[in-house]
Amino acid sequence: MSTTAQKPALVGGWTAFHPLTPEDWKVFEEAMEGFVGVKYTPLEVSTQVVNGMNYRYKCDASMPPSEVVWQALVDIYQPTDGKPYVTAITRI
């Protein structure tokens, strides 16, 4: 058994943070499309099954050309039908 295997998500419960899958990347990129100013680079993600899916991305954040980097949580909601969108960004 792989030690990196995810436990099945329970409705309402968040998974542990884990490396991004190709699907996680797709959701992040689609939700952040057109976002300007701060650059967010996702490091890992946690998910929550709801009526759709909540994603919480732990990211490095920066404002080029500055080299200052901080961490932030980017929360994204993926409805069952429709485009994912950012619901919150929190500096940590």
Side-chain angles (χ1 to χ4, degrees):
M1 182 170 153
S2 170
T3 57
T4 59
Q6 286 177 245
K7 292 181 180 177
L10 299 173
V11 173
W14 287 93
T15 64
F17 279 97
H18 56 275
L20 277 67
T21 66
E23 179 63 22
D24 297 331
W25 274 104
K26 180 180 174 204
V27 169
F28 185 83
E29 289 172 350
E30 193 173 339
M32 298 300 284
E33 185 178 353
F35 192 85
V36 296
V38 178
K39 178 181 182 216
Y40 293 97
T41 305
L43 306 172
E44 52 188 0
V45 66
S46 176
T47 57
Q48 179 188 40
V49 177
V50 289
N51 183 15
M53 181 77 77
N54 284 324
Y55 292 83
R56 179 165 287 156
Y57 294 87
K58 192 180 294 181
C59 300
D60 278 344
S62 62
M63 287 184 65
S66 172
E67 294 182 19
V68 175
V69 175
W70 64 92
Q71 289 209 315
L73 293 175
V74 176
D75 292 348
I76 294 173
Y77 174 64
Q78 168 67 68
T80 52
D81 290 327
K83 183 178 190 256
Y85 57 89
V86 175
T87 58
I89 298 176
T90 309
R91 188 173 179 154
I92 54 175

